[in-house]
Amino acid sequence: MKVREMKMVPLFEKLIKDSTKGLRCQHDGSRIKPQSIQNYMYVLANLKEYELLTCVPLRLKIFKGYNQREQAAERLYWKKFYLDFTDFLFKKKLLRQLCGCSN
């Protein structure tokens, strides 16, 4: 079975670029609002900062048919990412509030 692995940040940048150009649309066919694209940019900045801090690039794996072991491994990978990323965001926000930084 062939496994394709792709980096998450370049894919997210492509999502933002396609949304800005109008290649991605809402379900009703209307363009994605600039406010949503701005939110995507904030998420991307946080993902990049998280990657710099952890020195581990985020990845997406594409399989042709999962087996149970691979499903469990992927579930564990994303569960660990979710817990680490939310912890990172919480600590980052908490430190900003404590030091009074605006950035």
Side-chain angles (χ1 to χ4, degrees):
M1 173 176 35
K2 187 174 181 180
V3 177
R4 212 169 86 191
E5 191 171 303
M6 301 181 328
K7 304 253 186 252
M8 188 167 166
V9 170
L11 289 174
F12 209 82
E13 288 170 341
K14 183 174 177 356
L15 175 122
I16 292 171
K17 188 170 111 182
D18 290 349
S19 299
T20 305
K21 288 183 175 181
L23 299 175
R24 287 188 67 244
C25 297
Q26 295 181 9
H27 291 291
D28 62 0
S30 60
R31 291 182 71 140
I32 294 176
K33 296 187 188 284
Q35 296 87 348
S36 297
I37 295 170
Q38 190 68 35
N39 288 338
Y40 294 159
M41 288 184 200
Y42 289 131
V43 171
L44 178 63
N46 284 325
L47 286 174
K48 285 181 176 179
E49 190 175 342
Y50 175 78
E51 278 189 345
L52 278 173
L53 181 73
T54 60
C55 299
V56 177
L58 298 173
R59 53 102 178 133
L60 294 171
K61 280 189 177 180
I62 299 173
F63 293 90
K64 288 229 179 184
Y66 273 110
N67 65 31
Q68 285 183 336
R69 184 180 62 83
E70 291 166 338
Q71 279 183 335
E74 280 302 294
R75 194 176 305 117
L76 185 64
Y77 173 82
W78 287 107
K79 182 176 183 179
K80 183 181 180 307
F81 163 73
Y82 174 77
L83 293 173
D84 289 348
F85 188 63
T86 52
D87 189 48
F88 159 75
L89 291 174
F90 177 73
K91 286 180 180 177
K92 181 177 138 184
K93 294 233 183 239
L94 184 63
L95 289 175
R96 281 186 182 169
Q97 287 178 349
L98 291 176
C99 75
C101 299
S102 63
N103 211 2

